[in-house]
Amino acid sequence: MEAAVEIAAREIGAGAPLIPIYSHRYIPSAPSEAGNPILSVYQTDVIYYGSDLEDYFVNEFFDKENRFNRSGGRVVKPRRNVPFWGELYELNS
């Protein structure tokens, strides 16, 4: 049991701290640059909720179908995979 607790503590410490945005939505603090994804984190359930802060606000508070680029299609931004949190997302997918 001690070994399991030690491994779990080490792995949890490997993830960048999360900055709360709203409810159980968070943005990883690293890398410290624009474009970090917004994650919905509830216990071990991790979901990408937006590819960045702008995308999150559209997903959370606005009708996604009304967000169009000039060519008439939905704007799709690439999603940055962040260490640790992205791995939890992949485990849940």
Side-chain angles (χ1 to χ4, degrees):
M1 181 60 106
E2 284 181 38
V5 170
E6 182 180 318
I7 291 168
R10 183 178 62 241
E11 292 298 317
I12 290 170
L18 298 176
I19 300 168
I21 300 294
Y22 173 76
S23 187
H24 50 88
R25 313 290 193 254
Y26 302 89
I27 188 168
S29 61
S32 183
E33 55 190 49
N36 281 350
I38 305 302
L39 305 171
S40 175
V41 180
Y42 187 75
Q43 296 179 3
T44 60
D45 188 24
V46 177
I47 300 168
Y48 278 88
Y49 229 71
S51 57
D52 59 15
L53 197 55
E54 177 190 23
D55 194 47
Y56 159 71
F57 282 130
V58 170
N59 289 336
E60 187 77 76
F61 300 110
F62 299 102
D63 178 1
K64 291 180 265 189
E65 299 304 316
N66 288 332
R67 184 168 181 229
F68 293 97
N69 65 21
R70 292 180 188 201
S71 67
R74 176 139 166 47
V75 176
V76 178
K77 295 181 178 181
R79 182 179 69 205
R80 175 183 288 160
N81 190 17
V82 290
F84 182 78
W85 300 109
E87 294 166 17
L88 280 178
Y89 167 79
E90 292 298 327
L91 287 174
N92 290 320
S93 297

